């Protein structure tokens, strides 16, 4: 198994940032890895926390209990309580419309246990199943951690790609 030479990678990223054209949007830097002699039937997935923010604008919503509702209100973070989840009444179109507005869903521990009962498996199909918040865990550090974390997974192709940052964070 070969490894990426760290010095070569840093030099390439530096060259990319120095010789860039001025764009009217924030460019994302993506890492593409080609895998040789790897069986594509053996799939894997994972996540890694990066030192810089990979995605600049991550829209987060909290499925909150009373403690997290107060913290979400104080920090202007969108939230929904158990009564709001019950109001969906397992209506697929309402749940999809609500969930598509957000990139990441966080759920308080007590609410996370009720999510599948209240919403069914719709969030799983949308690949938006909520990340659990432990009781007493603060929202802002968790959101910061989510913004620094990238997920990757291998599919049938023999290459793997994921965003690792933006040109500004370079």
């Amino acid at each position: 198994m070969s490894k990426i030479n760290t010095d070569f990678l840093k030099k390439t990223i530096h060259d990319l940032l120095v010789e860039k054209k001025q764009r009217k949007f924030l460019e994302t830097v993506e890492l593409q890895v080609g895998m040789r002699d790897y069986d594509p039937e053996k799939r894997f997935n994972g996540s890694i926390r990066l030192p810089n923010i990979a995605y600049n604008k991550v829209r987060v919503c909290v499925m909150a209990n009373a403690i997290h509702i107060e913290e979400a209100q104080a920090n202007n973070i969108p939230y929904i309580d158990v009564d709001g989840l019950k109001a969906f009444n397992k209506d697929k179109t309402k749940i999809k419309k609500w969930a598509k507005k957000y990139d990441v869903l966080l759920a308080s521990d007590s609410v996370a246990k009720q999510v599948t009962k209240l919403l069914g498996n719709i969030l799983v199909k949308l690949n938006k199943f909520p990340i659990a918040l432990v009781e007493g865990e603060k929202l802002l550090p968790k959101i910061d951690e989510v913004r620094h974390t990238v997920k990757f997974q291998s599919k049938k192709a023999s290459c793997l790609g994921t965003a690792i940052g933006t040109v500004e964070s370079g």
Side-chain angles (χ1 to χ4, degrees), residues 22-37:
Q22 193 62 30
R23 308 273 188 203
K24 294 182 182 179
F25 58 91
L26 184 61
E27 294 176 272
T28 301
V29 178
E30 187 170 297
L31 177 67
Q32 294 280 337
V33 179
M35 296 179 283
R36 282 189 305 194
D37 302 327

Side-chain angles (χ1 to χ4, degrees), residues 11-77:
K11 181 187 178 305
T12 305
I13 292 172
H14 181 268
D15 293 346
L16 173 92
L17 296 175
V18 170
E19 299 171 11
K20 68 181 182 97
K21 285 198 288 185
Q22 193 62 30
R23 308 273 188 203
K24 294 182 182 179
F25 58 91
L26 184 61
E27 294 176 272
T28 301
V29 178
E30 187 170 297
L31 177 67
Q32 294 280 337
V33 179
M35 296 179 283
R36 282 189 305 194
D37 302 327
Y38 183 77
D39 183 11
E41 297 298 320
K42 294 180 182 176
R43 298 182 186 176
F44 61 88
N45 61 9
S47 61
I48 189 167
R49 187 181 195 289
L50 299 172
N52 54 350
I53 296 173
Y55 302 104
N56 219 14
K57 297 177 183 175
V58 177
R59 299 167 300 189
V60 177
C61 184
V62 181
M63 298 177 194
N65 60 10
I67 298 167
H68 286 133
I69 286 175
E70 292 175 12
E71 191 178 348
Q73 286 174 337
N75 295 308
N76 289 332
I77 299 169

Side-chain angles (χ1 to χ4, degrees), residues 47 54 117 129 142 145 160:
S47 61
K117 185 175 84 174
F129 199 76
K142 187 70 171 185
E145 182 181 327
L160 178 75

Side-chain angles (χ1 to χ4, degrees), residues 112-151:
K113 295 172 184 172
Q114 302 175 25
V115 169
T116 51
K117 185 175 84 174
L118 296 172
L119 302 180
N121 62 354
I122 298 163
L123 294 179
V124 175
K125 290 179 182 175
L126 292 173
N127 200 16
K128 300 240 180 168
F129 199 76
I131 300 168
L133 282 167
V134 181
E135 296 300 321
E137 190 173 9
K138 299 290 182 192
L139 288 177
L140 291 179
K142 187 70 171 185
I143 291 171
D144 189 50
E145 182 181 327
V146 166
R147 291 180 71 205
H148 281 78
T149 303
V150 292
K151 295 179 181 176

